[in-house]
Amino acid sequence: LTTLNKPADANPPAKHSDPVEGALLEAAEALIKTNQLGTAETLLSRALARSNAGEPGWETDRALGALAEIYDRAQRPADVIKLLTDAPQWSGRDLSDLSLRTPLQLYAARAFASNPTTKDKALTLVHAYLEKNSGDDKGYALLLDLEGENALPFLEKLAASDRWEERPLIWKAELLRRTGHLLDAEKAARAALAIDPTDGEEPQGD
C-alpha cells in the first residue's frame, strides 16, 4: 500500500553510516523498551537532524520507524500519519519497501483505524502485513480488534495458505472463543496443537 509521499521515480537510496547517529538510535531504542518515550523522541530528533535528507538510508528509516513506534505507544495517531505522509527522509514510497525493526504497517493501521473514514485502509494494511508475517501475534490481535467475527474468512485463508503455520489457527480459536463458539474453538485449537504442540518459536509469554 503506497502511503508515503515520495516521487515515483525516486532513485534507490545510498546507504550511509554515521557512528553518532547509530549511537543515538541505539540509545533511543533502549529507552523505548523502558517506556521513556519523551527522552527517546528527543534523541531520535537529534539523529534525524544528522541525516542527509538527500541520501536517505536504512539508518534514517530506522529512526523514523522508531519515532512511529513512540507515537503509536503514546496514542498519537495523527502524528503517525503525519510522519508517514510528510517526512521527506523515507527511503521508499511504499510501506512494504522499507526494512525496519518495527512493524510500521501495524502502527499505520492503528492510526488509520482511529478515524472511521480510513478504517478500510487500516484493514488493508493489517491483511497485507499478516500475509507476509503470519507468525506475528501483534498483527492478529489488531486484526481481531478491527474486524471481530468478520476476520474469520481471512484467518481461514491464512491457515490454508501455510499448513505448517499454527498462528492463524490459534487466533481462529481465540476469535471463536470470544464469540461463544466453544466447540469450534476447541477444534481449531487442537488443529494448531497438531502442527506444533510446543509453539516453541514464539517469545516467552506468547
Side-chain angles (χ1 to χ4, degrees), residues 6-17:
K6 291 186 68 69
D9 60 349
N11 293 322
K15 291 187 177 181
H16 64 287
S17 182

Side-chain angles (χ1 to χ4, degrees), residues 22-81:
L24 289 168
L25 286 170
E26 291 288 347
E29 288 169 347
L31 288 167
I32 291 172
K33 289 179 181 178
T34 57
N35 214 36
Q36 299 180 65
L37 304 183
T39 307
E41 184 176 1
T42 299
L43 293 182
L44 289 170
S45 296
R46 289 172 57 190
L48 287 168
R50 297 184 64 88
S51 299
N52 183 342
E55 294 183 357
W58 67 271
E59 287 180 332
T60 307
D61 285 344
R62 181 178 158 194
L64 291 167
L67 201 55
E69 181 176 0
I70 289 174
Y71 295 156
D72 179 70
R73 288 195 183 200
Q75 298 183 357
R76 294 160 58 183
D79 286 332
V80 174
I81 294 172

Side-chain angles (χ1 to χ4, degrees), residues 12 48 55 61 98 105 114 121 129 134-135 163 195 204:
L48 287 168
E55 294 183 357
D61 285 344
L98 307 174
Q105 285 171 284
S114 67
K121 184 175 286 191
Y129 179 81
S134 61
R163 65 190 184 95
I195 295 172
Q204 185 175 1

Side-chain angles (χ1 to χ4, degrees), residues 117-158:
T117 64
T118 54
K119 186 177 179 181
D120 287 346
K121 184 175 286 191
L123 289 173
T124 299
L125 283 167
V126 174
H127 284 198
Y129 179 81
L130 284 172
E131 283 171 351
K132 291 188 176 182
N133 303 274
S134 61
D136 191 340
D137 285 308
K138 296 185 294 296
Y140 290 105
L142 182 55
L143 174 72
L144 265 59
D145 287 345
L146 293 179
E147 278 200 294
E149 286 188 83
N150 293 330
L152 189 59
F154 181 69
L155 291 171
E156 291 174 339
K157 174 186 171 183
L158 287 180

